Amino acid sequence: TFIKRSLRIAMTHWGRVTTGSSQPIPKNKPVVLEVEELPPIHHVERNIAEGIRGLYQKCQMYDMNLVVGKHRFPAHKAVLASMSGAFCQRVRQAVADYESHLKGIAALEAAAALAVTNKETSLADEAPTPAKGVATSPAAASPAPGADAAPGAAPAIYCNQWKESPADAPAPSESTPPDMPAAAPDALQEGPAAEPAPIPGADGASPAVAPAAGETTQAPPAVPPPALTRPELHLDFIESPEAAQVMLDVVYQMNPEYNPSSEEANKDVLRLAQQLDLPRLEELATRKLAENLTTENVVPRLSTCKEFDLSDMYDSIEEEVVANQPALARVSATDEVIQHPVILQSLLVRSAKVHRPVAEPQSSKTSKRALEESKPGRPEKQHKASQGRALAGGA
């Protein structure tokens, strides 16, 4: 047994102590173990299609938007790019446009920050500095007690505020700068003709500041547009948002039934299928043209087949219309078919072949001879022998 071969133990046999087998056992050789009863597998692994479908259902890991008008549909770049080469090319272009957009926003933000820095530097350079050797006393810097003084940084005020009588108006002192004239007495009096000037900034309006002499106005820095959160693929060749949703349902295999709500949505699905090279989507939209077919919608559907070059479906629908004489009569009598002369001509040609077949001639010689004999006013051709006998008898 395994115990006798692997261990050396003392054994007693009728009172005598013996040892086990002295055969050496290799230490590095593994011992094979076989488990006969294995636990059953209850969980089946999900494939990649089910995993991506689960991400789409849970709205996770989105990295691209499909844009139709004002509607955006989130999706996954890898899934869309794997559908076809044309789809992959459009996804790559959308990613490149998104990267260019981010670079443009970064450049605008850097320009705006530089403009703010330059403005702050220019304001600091233009700030007045006190002259050398002139000391300002604290008494001259602080206003007198009880004196009404307007704040220095306040906006323009009405002309009748802080008014003083002409007698009490202070005369220009030495501290007044020479280029600042004294206030005129008439401007401080109230009068009916004087209208108060509007306060800049009132009612949400920004104050208008006139540029000084020799100073050039500088345009405000451009405000960067809002940054996109993910690349966007614009489907500008369709108008129905429902078509984009139907396409995503087919791509992610969400809805086994194909049932768009209108003819226009189905036509947009055909545009998507042909532009993005999605053959299964095109087959589903093509088969939809043959469902619920009546004499009222047969002409628009034939026109759709002509527009998207669906020749097989066009022949099937046209054959069904021509085979049904009441339907053919009703379709031919409508004004809608007159607006499509190509469809009308095709219906007439096919109906003529089906309802009034032309018998083929047996041979070209017999048909030519029958045509010559049927011409009126032409004398019958006589044989040469008969003509000679007639001349001999007359002589």
Side-chain angles (χ1 to χ4, degrees), residues 31-377:
V31 179
V32 179
L33 302 176
E34 295 182 358
V35 180
E36 297 180 356
E37 296 182 0
L38 298 176
I41 300 176
H42 299 285
H43 301 283
V44 181
E45 286 293 332
R46 301 172 61 184
N47 54 24
I48 186 172
E50 294 178 355
I52 293 176
R53 190 184 307 116
L55 292 177
Y56 181 74
Q57 290 176 335
K58 298 175 183 178
C59 303
Q60 295 177 352
M61 307 297 291
Y62 287 146
D63 52 5
M64 172 164 280
N65 287 337
L66 296 180
V67 183
V68 181
K70 297 182 180 179
H71 298 79
R72 284 174 169 79
F73 302 91
H76 302 90
K77 291 185 296 185
V79 177
L80 300 181
S82 64
M83 299 306 298
S84 64
F87 218 152
C88 181
Q89 184 65 28
R90 289 181 178 268
V91 170
R92 287 181 177 178
Q93 185 62 39
V95 173
D97 295 342
Y98 175 69
E99 293 176 353
S100 301
H101 173 76
L102 294 182
K103 292 180 181 178
I105 289 180
L108 289 177
E109 290 178 351
L114 181 60
V116 171
T117 304
N118 294 338
K119 185 176 180 181
E120 293 176 353
T121 304
S122 61
L123 291 178
D125 295 341
E126 293 176 0
T129 56
K132 295 182 179 180
V134 178
T136 57
S137 60
S142 60
D148 296 334
I157 57 175
Y158 292 109
C159 62
N160 58 354
Q161 288 181 338
W162 292 313
K163 65 179 181 178
E164 296 177 353
S165 60
D168 299 336
S173 60
E174 297 179 357
S175 61
T176 304
D179 56 347
M180 182 179 297
D186 296 338
L188 301 177
Q189 295 179 358
E190 287 182 289
E195 296 180 0
I199 301 177
D203 300 333
S206 59
V209 181
E215 182 181 357
T216 59
T217 58
Q218 185 178 3
V223 179
L228 299 176
T229 57
R230 57 177 70 102
E232 292 187 347
L233 176 56
H234 292 264
L235 304 176
D236 299 330
F237 50 90
I238 65 172
E239 298 180 357
S240 174
E242 181 185 359
Q245 185 62 57
V246 169
M247 181 191 69
L248 289 177
D249 290 344
V250 173
V251 168
Y252 286 94
Q253 300 179 2
M254 296 297 300
N255 190 2
E257 297 181 359
Y258 177 83
N259 190 20
S261 61
S262 63
E263 298 286 342
E264 294 299 327
N266 191 55
K267 291 174 67 175
D268 278 343
V269 172
L270 282 171
R271 292 187 182 93
L272 284 172
Q274 293 186 353
Q275 290 285 339
L276 303 177
D277 192 14
L278 303 175
R280 173 167 174 75
L281 187 63
E282 184 177 1
E283 291 178 358
L284 293 175
T286 303
R287 293 176 66 89
K288 184 65 178 179
L289 297 175
E291 297 179 3
N292 302 323
L293 193 64
T294 62
T295 55
E296 296 180 355
N297 58 15
V298 65
V299 176
R301 294 193 179 184
L302 287 174
S303 176
T304 301
C305 292
K306 283 290 185 182
E307 179 182 356
F308 295 96
D309 195 18
L310 307 175
S311 57
D312 294 340
M313 182 56 66
Y314 182 89
D315 293 339
S316 300
I317 296 176
E318 188 182 52
E319 183 179 357
E320 184 65 25
V321 173
V322 172
N324 193 331
Q325 292 187 1
L328 178 61
R330 181 168 295 184
V331 170
S332 302
T334 59
D335 297 335
E336 190 174 9
V337 73
I338 300 176
Q339 300 175 3
H340 300 82
V342 178
I343 296 177
L344 179 59
Q345 181 181 2
S346 180
L347 287 173
L348 293 176
V349 171
R350 187 181 287 269
S351 61
K353 292 181 180 180
V354 172
H355 299 292
R356 298 185 63 182
V358 179
E360 297 182 357
Q362 296 180 358
S363 63
S364 60
K365 294 183 179 180
T366 57
S367 61
K368 184 177 181 181
R369 182 177 299 175
L371 182 61
E372 292 178 353
E373 291 178 356
S374 62
K375 291 183 179 180

